[in-house]
Amino acid sequence: MELTLLFLPLLASIVSGFFGKYIGDRNSEIVTSLFVSISSILSLFIFYNVIFEGYENNVVIASWINSGSLNVNWSIKIDALSSVMLVVVTLISSLVHIYSIGYMSHDPHKPRFMAYLSLFTFAMLTLVTSDNFLQLFFGWEGVGLCSYFLIGFWFKKDTANAAAIKAFIVNRVGDFGFALGIFLIFYLFGTVNYNEVFLLIPETLDQDINFLGANLKSIDLICILLFIGAMGKSAQFLLHTWLPDAMEGPTPVSALIHAATMVTAGVFLVVRCSPIFEYSQIALNTICIVGMITAFFAATVALVQNDIKKIIAYSTCSQLGYMFFAAGIGAYNVAIFHLFTHAFFKALLFLGAGSVIHSFNNEQDIRKMGGIWRKLPYSWGLMLVGTLALTGFPFFSGFYSKEAIIEFAYLKGSTLGYYIVFIGIFTALLTAIYSWRLVFKTFHGTYENKELKIDSIHESSYVMLIPLIVLAIGSIFAGFFFKDLFIGLHASNNFWSDSIKFLSPISVDHPPLWIVYFTPAIVILAIPFAYYIFVKNKNVTNWLVNENKPLYNFLINKWYIDELYEYLFVKTFKKIGIFFWKNIDLKTIDRFGPDGISNLIKKLSIRAVKFQSGYIYQYAFIMLLGFSALLTYLIIL
C-alpha cells in the first residue's frame, strides 16, 4: 500500500508528461487526477491505522548509497507525523488536480501542467516519508524544482519567468544552509539516518566546533543551519520575498504550494527534527523570534495589497509564522495541528479566489470587483467559510489551532511566551481586518469593473466547485474532530508516540478565561468594523491612507525588503559581474588568451602571404638561401 501511494503520482506524471500528446488532454487529466486521488484514499487508510492501531512501518524500497560509514536506504517511513502529512499532501493535491480540469480548460498545455502537479506531489511525498536526511534533501530539492516549473508555467510571460527564477534562487540560499547542516551531521555522527542521529545527539551536547572563526556548540550550529533551510522553504522573514511573486503561476499552483506542499516542508523539518531542536534553546528562541516577526510583517503588508492572490499569499506567510513560533515554544504537535487545519482553509481561499478570477477573465485586482455576491453565490459562500476559518472565528477549524498556539505560549510562562501571546493576538486582529477587506471589496459594495459588464460574471463549473465544497467541510470540522487527537492531554503519549520528542512535558494547565475569550471577541468585532470602513463609509479608509501616507507607502512596498535586496545584492553583484566581464574577461583573458593568439596568427599569416608573389626568381632565391643555410649547418657540425 505504501509503495502504491508513493509511486502513483510519479507514474501519473510520466504518463501525462511523456504520452499526453498521444492519449489527449482529457485522458491526461483523468489519469493524473485518478492516480493522485487513489493515493489520497490510501493515505486515509494509513492515517486510520495509525490512529486506531498504532501502525508504524519503515518500508525499504532499495539500498541507495553504501560507501564507508554512509549507508542510506530509499525508504517509506510511516509514523504519526508522516501519516498526517500524507493526508494533507495527497488530499489537497487530489482536489487541486480535479479543480484544475475546470480552471485550465482553455490552456493548450494541459498534459504538461497536470504532469508537473503530479511530479510536485511525488516530490513532497518523498520528502515526508524519508527516514534519513539525504532522502529528505532529495524531496526538498524536488519540490523546489517543481515549483520553478509551475510558477513559470506560462513561460511566455516575463513576470512569470522572473518569479520562477526568484523563487529558485531565494530557496537556494536556504538550501545552502540546510546542506551545510546535513554535512555537519554526517561529519559529527558518521550517519544521516534519523534514528541513529537522534540517539547520538545527547552525546554531543558539550561538543564545540569552530565555524567561521567562532567556537559554537555543535548542537546549536546544527539547529540553526537546519532552520535556515526551513526559513527559505517556508518563506520566513528575509527569505520570504519569493512567495508573493509565486502568484504569477496558475491559481491551482498557488493553492498546492501554499496549502499542502512546499511551504509546509520547513515546518515539517523542524518538527521531524524535534529530538535535535529540543536540546538547543538558542535555536528554539531564534525560531520564536523569526516566527513572530514573520507573522506580524506579513499581516501588516496584507492590509494594503490589492491583488486578491497576493493578499492570501501574505496570509500564508503570516500563518507559517504562527506555526514556527508554536514549534519554538516546544509545542510541535500544536504547530502540526495548525498546519493540518490551515491546509483546508487556505486551499479553499486560493481555489475560491481562482473561481472569482476565472469569472473576471483573469482580473485579480479587488478594486475592480465588488457587488457580485449574488452572481457568484457558491464561490461567495465557500470563501466566507474559508475566511471564518482563517480568522479564527469560534468553532471553525482555525479557531481551535490558532487559539491553542496562543494558549500554549501563555502557559509557557516565559517572557518570550508573553511576547508571542501579544504578537499572536495582534496579528489575529490584523488577519481579521485584511481577510474581511478581501471579502467585502470582492463581493460587496458597488461593482467597480469598467471593462467587464456585471451580466457577464458567471459561477464556476461543478468540477471547480466540488473540490471547494470538500475543503469547506474540512475548514469547518477538521479542528473540532482532531483537536483532542493532536493536542489533547494524552496526545503526546498516545498518538504522536516517538515521532515527536518532548524533552519537557507541555503544560496541561488551563489558561485564564481572558486568554480564551479575548481573541475570538476581537475577531468577531473586526467584522462590522471592516464592513463599515470598506463598504459603508470608504472615506474613512481614504482618510487613513492620506493621513498616514509614509506608513502606507512603507506597507504597500512590503517594508522595502525587495528594494533593499536590489541595492545590496542585485546591483552590487551586477557591478562586480560587469567589472570582471569587462576588465578581467575581455581586457585580460580574451586579450592575451584566445583573442591575442588569433590576432597574432592573423598578423603572421598576412605577412607570410607576401612570400607568395608568383615570381620564379624569388622562389629560386629563397631556395638558394635555404640551401646555403643547410649547407652551413652541416659544415659547422
Side-chain angles (χ1 to χ4, degrees), residues 90 316 322 378 480 592:
T90 56
T316 299
Y322 273 92
Y378 298 116
F480 176 78
F592 297 104

Side-chain angles (χ1 to χ4, degrees), residues 272-532:
R272 173 60 82 193
C273 295
S274 59
I276 304 177
F277 281 92
E278 278 291 271
Y279 291 101
S280 176
Q281 192 58 48
I282 292 176
L284 291 177
N285 291 342
T286 302
I287 293 172
C288 284
I289 293 169
V290 172
M292 284 191 293
I293 295 173
T294 304
F296 174 72
F297 154 77
T300 59
V301 174
L303 283 172
V304 298
Q305 296 299 307
N306 297 306
D307 186 308
I308 188 171
K309 287 171 65 176
K310 285 192 176 182
I311 295 172
I312 305 173
Y314 277 110
S315 170
T316 299
C317 197
S318 182
Q319 298 305 306
L320 287 165
Y322 273 92
M323 297 175 205
F324 274 109
F325 62 63
I329 60 174
Y332 305 102
N333 55 339
V334 184
I336 292 297
F337 182 42
H338 192 51
L339 184 154
F340 182 76
T341 59
H342 175 265
F344 290 100
F345 58 74
K346 190 49 59 70
L348 174 59
L349 285 171
F350 265 116
L351 297 185
S355 179
V356 174
I357 294 167
H358 195 68
S359 301
F360 272 91
N361 291 338
N362 298 320
E363 178 59 65
Q364 297 181 194
D365 193 333
I366 60 175
R367 294 172 297 182
K368 298 180 180 180
M369 300 177 185
I372 58 169
W373 70 275
R374 288 188 178 90
K375 302 293 291 184
L376 304 175
Y378 298 116
S379 298
W380 170 72
L382 292 165
M383 284 198 72
L384 273 183
V385 173
T387 301
L388 290 168
L390 169 62
T391 57
F393 194 86
F395 310 116
F396 284 76
S397 60
F399 164 75
Y400 295 98
S401 56
K402 194 179 292 186
E403 279 299 300
I405 293 173
I406 295 172
E407 290 173 12
F408 276 100
Y410 181 85
L411 293 173
K412 187 73 174 177
S414 64
T415 303
L416 189 58
Y418 295 141
Y419 278 122
I420 289 173
V421 171
F422 174 76
I423 293 294
I425 293 174
F426 187 65
T427 303
L429 173 62
L430 297 180
T431 302
I433 293 173
Y434 72 67
S435 298
W436 289 110
R437 173 178 177 264
L438 184 151
V439 171
F440 291 142
K441 291 185 76 69
T442 302
F443 293 101
H444 297 272
T446 56
Y447 185 72
E448 301 290 348
N449 197 302
K450 307 300 182 184
E451 301 172 359
L452 203 62
K453 292 183 178 180
I454 193 170
D455 293 334
S456 64
I457 303 298
H458 57 85
E459 188 60 90
S460 300
S461 60
Y462 286 114
V463 74
M464 293 173 65
L465 291 176
I466 290 173
L468 294 179
I469 294 170
V470 176
L471 291 169
I473 294 171
S475 299
I476 297 171
F477 298 110
F480 176 78
F481 283 110
F482 291 97
K483 176 171 71 75
D484 289 335
L485 178 69
F486 283 13
I487 62 173
L489 296 179
H490 304 292
S492 60
N493 295 325
N494 297 337
F495 176 67
W496 296 110
S497 185
D498 294 328
S499 62
I500 296 177
K501 183 178 180 63
F502 299 93
L503 201 59
S504 56
I506 294 179
S507 175
V508 295
D509 297 332
H510 291 285
L513 288 179
W514 73 267
I515 285 287
V516 177
Y517 293 117
F518 186 71
T519 307
I522 63 173
V523 164
I524 294 171
L525 291 174
I527 300 175
F529 173 75
Y531 183 77
Y532 178 75

Side-chain angles (χ1 to χ4, degrees), residues 118-167:
S118 296
L119 186 61
F120 203 166
T121 306
F122 168 72
M124 190 65 188
L125 291 177
T126 303
L127 189 157
V128 300
T129 58
S130 61
D131 76 339
N132 60 80
F133 285 99
L134 203 58
Q135 184 181 333
L136 173 70
F137 192 72
F138 174 85
W140 194 271
E141 294 301 305
V143 295
L145 176 64
C146 292
S147 70
Y148 173 79
F149 291 153
L150 287 166
I151 295 169
F153 178 75
W154 288 322
F155 56 86
K156 293 183 179 180
K157 290 173 58 179
D158 291 338
T159 52
N161 284 324
I165 293 171
K166 186 176 183 179

Side-chain angles (χ1 to χ4, degrees), residues 303-304 433 437 441 528-549 552:
L303 283 172
V304 298
I433 293 173
R437 173 178 177 264
K441 291 185 76 69
F529 173 75
Y531 183 77
Y532 178 75
I533 66 172
F534 296 125
V535 178
K536 295 297 290 183
N537 191 354
K538 296 181 181 179
N539 292 330
V540 176
T541 309
N542 296 331
W543 177 82
L544 287 172
V545 170
N546 292 330
E547 289 295 316
N548 300 277
K549 204 66 177 179
Y552 176 78

